């Protein structure tokens, strides 16, 4: 490969991203800046958060500049190095972009990884990456589960949700998942060991409230929220007193020009619940600790993390859209090369 | 007085209460049940929470039954007693109703009070009552202010809000209040010692966001929320990282058939803020401790609690409506006799 293909953001999406919001262009392979690296990306993580970075809105990270490649966490191999701590051929992960080759400066998110410790280097984008660790730290450090409590997970068949539910089971909780469609609900029960699964599709507000009440007859002690919107609103009517809600994602809202939000805040007040805005970046210093525990659970067979690996940088757009159509069946990963 | 006038709820309000939702009827003065009391009510507290109790909806208290008098905290004098712990003529407070005489059973919320410890027995419904203690425990135990932090209070000229702001000043915070109209904003600065006051009236979302940003240039570390709706939405765009939001009231929503809620939950997530549903009832066992501190601050001139005392049970409806028109100028109290 003599060129660097790059998946560029060329227009800010209005609502659902369109293919023409992006362009695949080729440029020369970069050379390392002083003290820096060039990484040949092998796998890239595709995540709902990337949709937020495409907007021109203040957030926890600056927007992706127009004309730049779409920011993404990748794993890859050092292609060229001007840094004595990183040798050519070494595996690394970092916050790079959807492109064949990324320039990286050690000191940011870039870190060495050991591909022999896992079944596939892509595991560093799933169980041992931000996704798995979002479930790990969000549940254990924010919700602080106690054995016997009921945990409700939305977006439960997704990468974060399935990790959260399985960790909840490891901690002795009753785990109820909400997902879209019978196939996902079956996976919750059969693949991930949830105690109950609720298909939100085809259910209006009252039906969804009733389904949660049936699956959580003593009320919900913890909500791990990945979805927002009407699903979250229905959850709020089933809170136990002093419930803890980990607000981790709002995927139902990201492409919506009019946000639904949370119309029934009164339920939060009356149940004395707490809502905790949560970003995994706050736990960056503890990634090694969390990754080691996740790797152990994987090895022991206590944790299963499915990956939905899509092939080819040229398929970045349809691959990314799988997040929003619900087509992905596990942590969505793009195999770049 | 040979009869017991009672302000009854005869129809559940749809949105804003109408006068015909209530009826003032007279019945005989009750006699104490075994072990119980009859209290001659002197002052009653009028609070936004009463509007919620009028709905036929599950909440932290059962709805007021149709045909029953409107539930209210009152202070009064024991008129008749079948309980050795309470003597006729003694002052008590408790959760009773808008009526001349209430039957009460000691063991619930009924407790003896000392009218000589305060300027007026009505102080037990304001600074030393649920209202003042809502500010006291909500701020000190939930938000946990640190000196130098910025505290934003909505409904700041109200009874809870003005207490919160003054306690924030006692604790060394920068205190910004949001209220409706220039007169209330002037009171925040001149009477209650707030550092800045924002008049939300006539401001659209962008203008309100900008006004808060100007008053809280380093962001808001704590929000004490009494209002909800568009005011709360504007606040969320000015949160400092890890801001604590005490969700104490949502008065803008109580009469609204369509709830606005919180459409921009993303701000809560991105700032890693926490929202804490708060009810003062959870602190009932610490009322004496909080009341003693509030009484001391009152006596030292560090705290001022205005009361808006309306006269006569026959005026219960227009008096109650002052809460929703914003006409009240302090803790709203109805003088019954």
């Amino acid at each position: 490969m003599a060129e660097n293909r790059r998946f560029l953001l060329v227009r800010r999406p209005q609502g659902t991203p369109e293919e023409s919001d992006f362009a695949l262009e080729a440029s020369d392979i970069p050379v390392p800046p002083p003290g820096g690296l060039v990484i040949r990306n092998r796998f890239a993580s595709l995540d709902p958060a990337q949709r937020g970075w495409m907007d021109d809105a203040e957030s926890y990270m600056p927007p992706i500049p127009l004309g730049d490649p779409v920011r993404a966490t990748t794993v890859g191999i050092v292609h060229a190095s001007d840094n004595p701590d990183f040798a050519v051929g070494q595996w690394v992960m970092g916050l790079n972009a959807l492109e064949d080759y990324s320039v990286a400066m050690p000191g940011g998110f870039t870190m060495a990884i050991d591909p022999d410790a896992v079944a596939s280097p892509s595991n560093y984008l799933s169980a041992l990456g931000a996704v798995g660790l979002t479930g790990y730290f969000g549940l254990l450090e924010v919700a602080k589960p106690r054995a016997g409590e009921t945990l409700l997970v939305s977006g439960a068949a997704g990468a974060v949700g399935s990790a959260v539910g399985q960790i909840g089971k490891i901690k002795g909780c009753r785990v109820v998942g909400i997902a879209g469609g019978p196939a996902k609900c079956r996976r919750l029960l059969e693949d991930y060991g949830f105690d109950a699964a609720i298909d939100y599709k085809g259910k209006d507000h009252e039906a969804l409230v009733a389904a949660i009440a049936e699956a959580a007859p003593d009320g919900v002690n913890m909500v791990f929220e990945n979805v927002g919107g009407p699903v979250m609103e229905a959850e709020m009517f089933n809170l136990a007193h002093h419930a803890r809600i980990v607000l981790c994602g709002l995927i139902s809202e990201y492409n919506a020009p009019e946000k639904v939000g949370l119309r029934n805040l009164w339920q939060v007040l009356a149940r004395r619940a707490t809502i905790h805005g949560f970003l995994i970046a706050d736990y960056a210093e503890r990634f090694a600790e969390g990754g080691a525990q996740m790797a152990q659970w994987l090895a022991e067979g206590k944790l299963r993390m499915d990956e939905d690996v899509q092939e080819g940088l040229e398929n970045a757009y349809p691959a990314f859209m799988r997040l929003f159509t619900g087509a992905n069946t596990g942590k969505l990963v793009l195999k770049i090369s």
Side-chain angles (χ1 to χ4, degrees), chain A:
Chain A
M1 191 180 301
E3 59 175 18
N4 182 21
R5 296 172 305 157
R6 313 179 84 200
F7 184 69
L8 308 179
L9 180 70
V10 296
R11 189 176 61 202
R12 301 210 177 277
Q14 302 296 312
T16 303
E18 297 176 14
E19 189 150 17
S20 55
D21 296 330
F22 308 96
L24 189 67
E25 291 188 3
S27 55
D28 291 340
I29 298 172
V31 294
L37 312 174
V38 172
I39 297 164
R40 181 172 168 186
N41 293 310
R42 300 294 301 273
F43 295 94
S45 184
L46 297 181
D47 300 291
Q50 288 165 306
R51 174 63 189 86
W53 303 339
M54 295 174 190
D55 287 335
D56 188 18
E58 194 196 339
S59 185
Y60 60 98
M61 273 202 190
I64 300 169
L66 283 182
D68 272 19
V70 171
R71 186 188 295 136
T73 302
T74 69
V75 295
I77 296 169
V78 175
H79 171 78
S81 174
D82 187 58
N83 188 299
D85 294 336
F86 290 86
V88 171
Q90 177 178 352
W91 281 84
V92 291
M93 72 180 292
L95 190 58
N96 297 305
L98 297 178
E99 56 192 353
D100 287 316
Y101 295 89
S102 291
V103 171
M105 291 299 294
F109 288 93
T110 302
M111 61 182 219
I113 59 171
D114 176 7
D116 297 330
V118 289
S120 160
S122 59
N123 291 180
Y124 283 96
L125 301 177
S126 58
L128 279 63
V131 161
L133 297 177
T134 290
Y136 181 87
F137 289 110
L139 184 65
L140 299 185
E141 295 295 323
V142 181
K144 295 189 170 68
R146 293 183 283 264
E149 288 191 318
T150 296
L151 165 65
L152 179 63
V153 185
S154 67
V160 170
S162 66
V164 168
Q166 292 175 86
I167 299 169
K169 288 303 298 176
I170 291 171
K171 296 299 177 181
C173 297
R174 174 173 175 80
V175 177
V176 179
I178 303 178
K184 287 185 176 180
C185 286
R186 206 160 40 237
R187 285 176 47 221
L188 294 185
L189 300 174
E190 295 176 3
D191 295 349
Y192 302 131
F194 282 52
D195 296 293
I198 297 168
D199 182 0
Y200 71 82
K201 288 192 175 173
K203 289 192 176 66
D204 66 8
H205 176 74
E206 275 67 33
L208 191 49
V209 169
I212 298 170
E214 190 183 348
D218 297 328
V220 171
N221 304 106
M222 295 167 285
V223 175
F224 201 102
E225 185 58 48
N226 294 306
V227 171
V231 167
M232 185 176 185
E233 295 197 322
E235 295 163 356
M236 298 300 110
F237 285 92
N238 284 287
L239 299 176
H241 285 177
H242 305 291
R244 297 92 72 195
I245 300 157
V246 183
L247 185 61
C248 176
L250 294 164
I251 197 167
S252 73
E253 305 267 31
Y254 296 158
N255 290 329
E258 286 285 325
K259 312 299 184 195
V260 171
L262 190 56
R263 284 172 295 212
N264 45 10
L265 269 180
W266 176 252
Q267 294 300 320
V268 174
L269 196 167
R271 316 296 175 103
R272 291 85 110 184
T274 47
I275 300 177
H276 303 259
F278 172 72
L279 285 179
I280 186 60
D282 288 340
Y283 292 84
E285 292 182 1
R286 296 178 60 187
F287 272 24
E289 163 199 343
Q293 178 62 80
M294 294 291 276
Q296 185 187 336
W297 284 333
L298 282 174
E300 293 172 353
K302 291 183 178 169
L303 183 69
R304 166 182 175 157
M305 174 73 79
D306 290 313
E307 295 179 2
D308 180 346
V309 181
Q310 299 292 307
E311 296 268 344
L313 193 58
E314 66 279 11
N315 292 318
Y317 174 74
F320 184 59
M321 293 308 294
R322 292 172 68 82
L323 289 171
F324 300 103
T325 60
N328 61 307
T329 56
K331 172 66 187 99
L332 190 61
V333 172
L334 186 65
K335 186 170 191 303
I336 291 180
S337 64

